[in-house]
C-alpha cells in the first residue's frame, strides 16, 4: 500500500479513509464488546463509539455503569472523525476475516461505513456519536496505585470464585479492595466461602476500602488477560479506573460496607493436612463423578498419613472411594465439603502443595499454599457440609 492517500469520491462527498489490521480490530472489539448488554437504557449503547485523532484510534463500549476503552494505532488515516456503529454486526463480521489490512471508508454526512478486505467488502450504517455518553471523572481521586497486570489478574480471578450473587446483599456481590498497612487485599465472600489475596504495596501509606461489582470485575479479568506490564489504578469515592497500554475500564463502585471478613478467618486450626495440589484435584474429579448431583458432597477421612476421599449417590446406587498419601498432623477426623466448590477453590491456588487447616467437622477450614510467597499471600476459607454416616 503506497504512502499516497487516495480518497474515494461520491458525487459531492469526500469519503474519509482509515486502514487497520483486521486482527488488531477484532481483538479490541472482542474484549470491549463484553460490556454491552442486550437491553440498554440508551439505544446508542448498542454501538461501539469510534474516535479517530491522527493515527490513534479509541473505541469505547459501555453499559452506562461500566465503560471499556480500547486503544490502537492505525496504519493510515486521512482525517479526524467520531462516529458510532452497531456493535454486534461489526464484531461478528470482522472476526470472520483472516489477518490482513482493512480499508475503511466513512461517509461523514450519512455515516455509511464501507469495510474493504482482500476478497470483498461490508457496508453498514453508522450514526453520529454526539449522544454517546463518555464518563468523566469529576470527583477528586482518593488513591492512585500501580500494579503488575498479571498479579492483579490472579487476585481478581481468585476473588471471583467466592463472590456472592445475592440481590438482598449487594455488598457481597463484589470484589473488595482493602488497602492498609502498605498492602492491598482483594477479598470476596458469599457467606460459605471466602477468598483473599494479599499483596504488598511499598510506599503506599493511604488506606481505604472499595467495592467493585462482580460484573465489572469479570470485565476487568478479561481485560487484564490481554495486558502486559503495569496497570494504573485510580480509586475514588464513587468510581474506579484501571488502565493498561491498550485498554481502560472505568466503573461505578458499589456503595455500602463490606463485612468484617478478618473476624471470620479462624486463627487456630490445629489439624493440618498437606498434600500435592494436582493429585488432589485429579482425585476429586474422579470421585465427584459418583456424587449426588444436587448435594455434590465429598467426605474426607483423615488419619496419620492417609486421606480417604469418598462420595455416593444413594438414589442411583453408586459410590466412589479413593485413598491418598498425605502429611497430616492432628486428630483423626471425618469432614465433608461441597466438592464442586472445594475443587474450584483449589484450582485457583498456584502452588505445588497446599495445606488444609481444620478445627472440627462443623467449623470453617482454610486452604492455603504450603509455602506462601513474599509477593502474594493467598487464603481460601470453606464451610464444611453436614453429612450422615
Amino acid at each position: 500500500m503506497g504512502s499516497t492517500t487516495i480518497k474515494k469520491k461520491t458525487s459531492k462527498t469526500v469519503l474519509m479513509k482509515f486502514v487497520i489490521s483486521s486482527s488488531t480490530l477484532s481483538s479490541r472489539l472482542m474484549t470491549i464488546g463484553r460490556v454491552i448488554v442486550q437491553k440498554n437504557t440508551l439505544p446508542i449503547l448498542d454501538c461501539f463509539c469510534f474516535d479517530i485523532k491522527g493515527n490513534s484510534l479509541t473505541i469505547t463500549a459501555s453499559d452506562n455503569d461500566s465503560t471499556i476503552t480500547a486503544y490502537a494505532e492505525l496504519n493510515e488515516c486521512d482525517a479526524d472523525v467520531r462516529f458510532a456503529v452497531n456493535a454486534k454486526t461489526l464484531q461478528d463480521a470482522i472476526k470472520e476475516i483472516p489477518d490482513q489490512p482493512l480499508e475503511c471508508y466513512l461517509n461523514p454526512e450519512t455515516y455509511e461505513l464501507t469495510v474493504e478486505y482482500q476478497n470483498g467488502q461490508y457496508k453498514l450504517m453508522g450514526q453520529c456519536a454526539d449522544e454517546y455518553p463518555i464518563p468523566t471523572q469529576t470527583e477528586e481521586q482518593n488513591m492512585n496505585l500501580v500494579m503488575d497486570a498479571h498479579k492483579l489478574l490472579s487476585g481478581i480471578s481468585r476473588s471471583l470464585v467466592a463472590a456472592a450473587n445475592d440481590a438482598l446483599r449487594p455488598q457481597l456481590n463484589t470484589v473488595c479492595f482493602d488497602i492498609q498497612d502498605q498492602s492491598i487485599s482483594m477479598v470476596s465472600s458469599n457467606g460459605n466461602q471466602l477468598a483473599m489475596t494479599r499483596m504488598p504495596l511499598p510506599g503506599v501509606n493511604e488506606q481505604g476500602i472499595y467495592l467493585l461489582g462482580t460484573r465489572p470485575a469479570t470485565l476487568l479479568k478479561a481485560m487484564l488477560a490481554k495486558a502486559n506490564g503495569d496497570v494504573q489504578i485510580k480509586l475514588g469515592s464513587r468510581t474506579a479506573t484501571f488502565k493498561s497500554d491498550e485498554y481502560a475500564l472505568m466503573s461505578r463502585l458499589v456503595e455500602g460496607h463490606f463485612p468484617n471478613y478478618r473476624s471470620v478467618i479462624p486463627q487456630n486450626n490445629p489439624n493440618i493436612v498437606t498434600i500435592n495440589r494436582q493429585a488432589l484435584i485429579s482425585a476429586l474429579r474422579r470421585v465427584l463423578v459418583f456424587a449426588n448431583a444436587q448435594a455434590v458432597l465429598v467426605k474426607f477421612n483423615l488419619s496419620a498419613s492417609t486421606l480417604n476421599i469418598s462420595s455416593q449417590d444413594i438414589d442411583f446406587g453408586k459410590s466412589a472411594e479413593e485413598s491418598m498419601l498425605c502429611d497430616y498432623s492432628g486428630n483423626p477426623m471425618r469432614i465433608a465439603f461441597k466438592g464442586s466448590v472445594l475443587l474450584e477453590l483449589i484450582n485457583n491456588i498456584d502452588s505445588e502443595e497446599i495445606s488444609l487447616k481444620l478445627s472440627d467437622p462443623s467449623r470453617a477450614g482454610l486452604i492455603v499454599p504450603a509455602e506462601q510467597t513474599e509477593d502474594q499471600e493467598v487464603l481460601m476459607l470453606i464451610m464444611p457440609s453436614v453429612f450422615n454416616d
Side-chain angles (χ1 to χ4, degrees):
M1 193 173 295
S3 58
T4 304
T5 302
I6 299 176
K7 297 182 180 179
K8 289 190 173 184
K9 296 185 178 181
T10 61
S11 56
K12 294 182 180 180
T13 306
V14 177
L15 301 184
M16 176 266 172
K17 175 186 177 182
F18 62 96
V19 181
I20 187 172
S21 161
S22 61
S23 59
T24 298
L25 181 58
S26 179
S27 174
R28 301 297 192 276
L29 297 183
M30 289 289 288
T31 301
I32 71 173
R34 302 169 189 267
V35 73
I36 299 175
V37 295
Q38 289 187 348
K39 295 182 179 181
N40 280 300
T41 53
L42 299 173
I44 200 167
L45 292 180
D46 292 331
C47 300
F48 291 124
C49 177
F50 282 68
D51 191 354
I52 297 174
K53 293 179 180 177
N55 274 2
S56 297
L57 168 64
T58 301
I59 316 172
T60 304
S62 176
D63 65 359
N64 222 19
D65 287 325
S66 300
T67 299
I68 304 184
T69 304
Y71 308 98
E73 287 296 313
L74 300 172
N75 300 357
E76 179 185 333
C77 182
D78 62 11
D80 294 350
V81 69
R82 188 168 179 264
F83 64 96
V85 63
N86 183 269
K88 187 178 189 311
T89 302
L90 184 63
Q91 185 173 315
D92 290 348
I94 298 300
K95 72 180 181 182
E96 299 299 334
I97 301 177
D99 187 21
Q100 60 185 278
L102 302 177
E103 295 187 357
C104 305
Y105 299 90
L106 180 73
N107 185 320
E109 294 183 358
T110 64
Y111 291 101
E112 181 184 63
L113 178 66
T114 303
V115 180
E116 295 187 357
Y117 54 100
Q118 186 175 1
N119 301 320
Q121 66 175 20
Y122 297 140
K123 284 191 175 183
L124 61 160
M125 291 303 301
Q127 58 182 298
C128 177
D130 289 348
E131 295 181 1
Y132 200 94
I134 301 297
T136 55
Q137 289 183 320
T138 56
E139 61 177 312
E140 181 180 351
Q141 293 300 322
N142 291 348
M143 199 170 301
N144 294 279
L145 309 173
V146 177
M147 290 187 66
D148 178 78
H150 295 296
K151 291 181 180 179
L152 181 59
L153 173 60
S154 69
I156 293 291
S157 301
R158 200 170 289 118
S159 295
L160 285 170
V161 172
N165 182 17
D166 188 340
L168 299 179
R169 296 184 294 176
Q171 291 81 16
L172 290 182
N173 307 338
T174 64
V175 174
C176 171
F177 291 79
D178 183 5
I179 301 169
Q180 57 178 297
D181 301 328
Q182 296 192 17
S183 68
I184 180 169
S185 296
M186 285 167 270
V187 190
S188 65
S189 177
N190 60 15
N192 290 314
Q193 296 90 41
L194 180 145
M196 183 187 77
T197 304
R198 184 175 179 270
M199 301 179 186
L201 289 177
V204 177
N205 297 312
E206 297 92 342
Q207 62 181 19
I209 295 179
Y210 308 89
L211 305 184
L212 182 68
T214 50
R215 174 169 161 76
T218 303
L219 297 171
L220 177 60
K221 177 183 174 181
M223 184 188 102
L224 292 172
K226 303 284 186 69
N228 291 300
D230 290 335
V231 176
Q232 297 178 356
I233 306 172
K234 295 183 178 181
L235 299 171
S237 58
R238 295 184 180 179
T239 61
T241 303
F242 303 83
K243 189 176 187 300
S244 67
D245 290 339
E246 296 178 346
Y247 298 98
L249 167 68
M250 180 178 176
S251 178
R252 294 178 186 172
L253 294 171
V254 176
E255 297 181 0
H257 298 285
F258 196 76
N260 181 9
Y261 66 92
R262 296 181 188 275
S263 66
V264 302
I265 299 175
Q267 301 301 313
N268 183 25
N269 278 12
N271 303 302
I272 302 174
V273 54
T274 301
I275 195 166
N276 181 276
R277 186 182 73 91
Q278 197 56 54
L280 180 57
I281 289 173
S282 298
L284 284 171
R285 285 175 175 164
R286 290 189 291 268
V287 170
L288 280 171
V289 173
F290 297 86
N292 179 277
Q294 293 182 337
V296 202
L297 204 67
V298 290
K299 300 175 184 178
F300 283 13
N301 192 346
L302 288 157
S303 58
S305 60
T306 304
L307 167 62
N308 181 277
I309 307 173
S310 62
S311 68
Q312 64 177 344
D313 188 342
I314 298 175
D315 296 337
F316 290 90
K318 59 182 183 178
S319 64
E321 184 175 333
E322 189 164 328
S323 294
M324 302 176 63
L325 293 176
C326 66
D327 181 6
Y328 180 61
S329 60
N331 299 319
M333 180 184 297
R334 297 184 66 195
I335 190 170
F337 300 101
K338 188 165 185 177
S340 55
V341 173
L342 180 64
L343 184 60
E344 193 170 18
L345 293 177
I346 296 173
N347 261 322
N348 279 274
I349 297 180
D350 300 321
S351 176
E352 184 177 351
E353 289 192 329
I354 59 170
S355 293
L356 181 59
K357 301 181 178 182
L358 306 169
S359 175
D360 64 55
S362 64
R363 296 187 179 181
L366 298 180
I367 310 168
V368 298
E371 293 185 5
Q372 300 278 10
T373 60
E374 292 183 1
D375 62 345
Q376 184 172 267
E377 178 188 346
V378 175
L379 180 147
M380 303 290 207
L381 180 149
I382 182 170
M383 291 299 297
S385 300
V386 178
F387 67 97
N388 297 319
D389 292 331

